[in-house]
Amino acid sequence: NDTLSISDTSMHRLFDAIPAHVVFNTAHKTNNVFIINKGLDHGIKKNMGVISSQGIAGVVLSSNQNYSAVMSLLNTNMKITPHINGQEYFTEIIWDNSKFNCLTINGINKLEQINLGDVVSTGNSSLLFPKGIPIGHISKINDTPKSQYFELKLETATNFRDLEYVFVIINNEYFSLNDLLSND
């Protein structure tokens, strides 16, 4: 069995992680993708989170029997909510294709305690990833005088040029939780 499991305190399996090998990867385009050697035959489906040993890598776009295409974190269509210093911020981390392995966070008020080097991770607002998976760390804080918000630059935890092995995250409660959210 090549599946790892993450359980809660009552030993209920919350997440499974299936290891995969990256067989194709782009890191120089506007909308980067990579292909892994696991697909439908291995339980991989669209909208599953993918992590590296360092942190977030992407989200599954599509799968065939043996392979899956994954939207990289270095993709202008990838959006993820940041969790910094115990606080979840309801803004998005985006890749604007301006610098390799550099993401941007806008919309965090200057009254917040944000420092260089702070780790940015996943929070509770994602059904695709467990809480606490690193996204990156703050590498630059732009303080525009006429704005009440910071522009933060974030260096990704995952090195996408050397991406070789990943884990596909299966949230065992995804459909139950998503059904509740769909009824809103």
Side-chain angles (χ1 to χ4, degrees), residues 3 7 19 95-96 125 130:
T3 302
S7 301
W95 188 59
D96 62 8
S125 65

Side-chain angles (χ1 to χ4, degrees), residues 127-140:
L127 295 178
L128 305 182
F129 301 100
K131 181 180 178 180
I133 304 294
I135 299 168
H137 70 273
I138 297 174
S139 58
K140 186 175 183 182

Side-chain angles (χ1 to χ4, degrees), residues 34-40 44 60 62-64 66-70:
F34 57 92
I35 295 175
I36 59 174
N37 69 339
K38 299 283 173 84
L40 296 171
I44 311 299
V60 175
S62 62
S63 296
N64 63 22
N66 296 306
Y67 296 95
S68 297
V70 180

Side-chain angles (χ1 to χ4, degrees), residues 25-121:
N25 183 23
T26 63
H28 62 282
K29 297 182 177 186
T30 302
N31 293 317
N32 293 293
V33 296
F34 57 92
I35 295 175
I36 59 174
N37 69 339
K38 299 283 173 84
L40 296 171
D41 286 350
H42 308 94
I44 311 299
K45 298 176 187 159
K46 183 177 180 173
N47 293 329
M48 290 183 169
V50 180
I51 63 173
S52 72
S53 61
Q54 297 118 359
I56 295 288
V59 175
V60 175
L61 288 171
S62 62
S63 296
N64 63 22
Q65 296 313 116
N66 296 306
Y67 296 95
S68 297
V70 180
M71 176 177 22
S72 170
L73 187 57
L74 302 182
N75 187 307
T76 58
N77 295 315
M78 181 73 165
K79 307 288 188 267
I80 192 159
T81 303
H83 186 267
I84 309 168
N85 298 329
Q87 176 72 37
E88 193 148 16
Y89 294 97
F90 294 98
T91 185
E92 293 177 333
I93 298 173
I94 57 170
W95 188 59
D96 62 8
N97 194 19
S98 63
K99 187 177 174 190
F100 175 75
N101 275 12
C102 184
L103 306 169
T104 302
I105 305 172
N106 291 308
I108 295 180
N109 196 297
K110 290 181 182 177
L111 298 174
E112 300 291 339
Q113 288 289 353
I114 304 292
N115 299 297
L116 287 175
D118 283 350
V119 174
V120 180
S121 62

Side-chain angles (χ1 to χ4, degrees), residues 137-182:
H137 70 273
I138 297 174
S139 58
K140 186 175 183 182
I141 301 173
N142 292 330
D143 186 356
T144 309
K146 294 184 179 186
S147 174
Q148 72 181 40
Y149 300 106
F150 289 122
E151 178 191 64
L152 305 173
K153 295 297 181 179
L154 176 72
E155 186 176 319
T156 62
T158 299
N159 181 346
F160 288 91
R161 287 193 174 134
D162 293 331
L163 193 60
E164 189 172 358
Y165 294 99
V166 295
F167 297 91
V168 180
I169 303 297
I170 299 172
N171 181 342
N172 293 312
E173 301 297 326
Y174 177 82
F175 294 106
S176 296
L177 295 169
N178 198 41
D179 284 347
L180 286 174
L181 294 172
S182 299

